[in-house]
PDB file of all heavy atoms in Angstrom:
ATOM      1  N   ARG I 153      -2.444  12.669  -6.231  1.00  0.00           N
ATOM      2  CA  ARG I 153      -1.465  12.873  -5.160  1.00  0.00           C
ATOM      3  C   ARG I 153      -2.163  12.842  -3.785  1.00  0.00           C
ATOM      4  O   ARG I 153      -1.689  12.236  -2.838  1.00  0.00           O
ATOM      5  CB  ARG I 153      -0.788  14.231  -5.370  1.00  0.00           C
ATOM      6  CG  ARG I 153       0.689  14.197  -5.123  1.00  0.00           C
ATOM      7  CD  ARG I 153       1.343  15.500  -5.570  1.00  0.00           C
ATOM      8  NE  ARG I 153       1.798  15.433  -6.944  1.00  0.00           N
ATOM      9  CZ  ARG I 153       1.569  16.348  -7.880  1.00  0.00           C
ATOM     10  NH1 ARG I 153       0.856  17.415  -7.578  1.00  0.00           N
ATOM     11  NH2 ARG I 153       2.032  16.197  -9.098  1.00  0.00           N
ATOM     12  N   ARG I 154      -3.317  13.518  -3.712  1.00  0.00           N
ATOM     13  CA  ARG I 154      -4.063  13.537  -2.452  1.00  0.00           C
ATOM     14  C   ARG I 154      -4.537  12.137  -2.096  1.00  0.00           C
ATOM     15  O   ARG I 154      -4.504  11.727  -0.939  1.00  0.00           O
ATOM     16  CB  ARG I 154      -5.289  14.466  -2.567  1.00  0.00           C
ATOM     17  CG  ARG I 154      -4.983  15.901  -2.235  1.00  0.00           C
ATOM     18  CD  ARG I 154      -6.277  16.623  -1.886  1.00  0.00           C
ATOM     19  NE  ARG I 154      -7.149  16.768  -3.037  1.00  0.00           N
ATOM     20  CZ  ARG I 154      -8.427  16.426  -3.056  1.00  0.00           C
ATOM     21  NH1 ARG I 154      -9.003  15.911  -1.983  1.00  0.00           N
ATOM     22  NH2 ARG I 154      -9.150  16.592  -4.147  1.00  0.00           N
ATOM     23  N   PHE I 155      -4.974  11.414  -3.112  1.00  0.00           N
ATOM     24  CA  PHE I 155      -5.401  10.034  -2.883  1.00  0.00           C
ATOM     25  C   PHE I 155      -4.260   9.239  -2.253  1.00  0.00           C
ATOM     26  O   PHE I 155      -4.436   8.551  -1.253  1.00  0.00           O
ATOM     27  CB  PHE I 155      -5.835   9.396  -4.203  1.00  0.00           C
ATOM     28  CG  PHE I 155      -6.141   7.934  -4.099  1.00  0.00           C
ATOM     29  CD1 PHE I 155      -7.410   7.504  -3.743  1.00  0.00           C
ATOM     30  CD2 PHE I 155      -5.156   6.991  -4.344  1.00  0.00           C
ATOM     31  CE1 PHE I 155      -7.697   6.153  -3.621  1.00  0.00           C
ATOM     32  CE2 PHE I 155      -5.436   5.638  -4.228  1.00  0.00           C
ATOM     33  CZ  PHE I 155      -6.706   5.221  -3.869  1.00  0.00           C
ATOM     34  N   LEU I 156      -3.069   9.374  -2.843  1.00  0.00           N
ATOM     35  CA  LEU I 156      -1.927   8.607  -2.341  1.00  0.00           C
ATOM     36  C   LEU I 156      -1.597   8.996  -0.907  1.00  0.00           C
ATOM     37  O   LEU I 156      -1.278   8.145  -0.079  1.00  0.00           O
ATOM     38  CB  LEU I 156      -0.721   8.822  -3.251  1.00  0.00           C
ATOM     39  CG  LEU I 156      -0.840   8.147  -4.617  1.00  0.00           C
ATOM     40  CD1 LEU I 156       0.287   8.583  -5.529  1.00  0.00           C
ATOM     41  CD2 LEU I 156      -0.824   6.623  -4.447  1.00  0.00           C
ATOM     42  N   ALA I 157      -1.716  10.290  -0.613  1.00  0.00           N
ATOM     43  CA  ALA I 157      -1.429  10.735   0.752  1.00  0.00           C
ATOM     44  C   ALA I 157      -2.464  10.155   1.720  1.00  0.00           C
ATOM     45  O   ALA I 157      -2.129   9.729   2.828  1.00  0.00           O
ATOM     46  CB  ALA I 157      -1.433  12.258   0.825  1.00  0.00           C
ATOM     47  N   ALA I 158      -3.710  10.108   1.261  1.00  0.00           N
ATOM     48  CA  ALA I 158      -4.783   9.637   2.157  1.00  0.00           C
ATOM     49  C   ALA I 158      -4.652   8.144   2.440  1.00  0.00           C
ATOM     50  O   ALA I 158      -4.916   7.701   3.554  1.00  0.00           O
ATOM     51  CB  ALA I 158      -6.146   9.937   1.545  1.00  0.00           C
ATOM     52  N   VAL I 159      -4.254   7.368   1.452  1.00  0.00           N
ATOM     53  CA  VAL I 159      -4.232   5.921   1.653  1.00  0.00           C
ATOM     54  C   VAL I 159      -2.892   5.421   2.186  1.00  0.00           C
ATOM     55  O   VAL I 159      -2.757   4.244   2.502  1.00  0.00           O
ATOM     56  CB  VAL I 159      -4.561   5.150   0.349  1.00  0.00           C
ATOM     57  CG1 VAL I 159      -5.904   5.609  -0.195  1.00  0.00           C
ATOM     58  CG2 VAL I 159      -3.461   5.322  -0.690  1.00  0.00           C
ATOM     59  N   ASP I 160      -1.936   6.334   2.303  1.00  0.00           N
ATOM     60  CA  ASP I 160      -0.603   5.937   2.734  1.00  0.00           C
ATOM     61  C   ASP I 160      -0.668   5.182   4.066  1.00  0.00           C
ATOM     62  O   ASP I 160      -1.221   5.669   5.042  1.00  0.00           O
ATOM     63  CB  ASP I 160       0.270   7.188   2.881  1.00  0.00           C
ATOM     64  CG  ASP I 160       1.717   6.812   3.156  1.00  0.00           C
ATOM     65  OD1 ASP I 160       2.173   5.830   2.549  1.00  0.00           O
ATOM     66  OD2 ASP I 160       2.366   7.470   3.979  1.00  0.00           O
ATOM     67  N   GLY I 161      -0.106   4.002   4.061  1.00  0.00           N
ATOM     68  CA  GLY I 161      -0.087   3.211   5.289  1.00  0.00           C
ATOM     69  C   GLY I 161      -1.332   2.362   5.492  1.00  0.00           C
ATOM     70  O   GLY I 161      -1.363   1.504   6.361  1.00  0.00           O
TER      71      GLY I 161
END
Side-chain angles (χ1 to χ4, degrees):
R153 222 170 269 132
R154 273 200 292 129
F155 173 87
L156 289 171
V159 304
D160 187 39

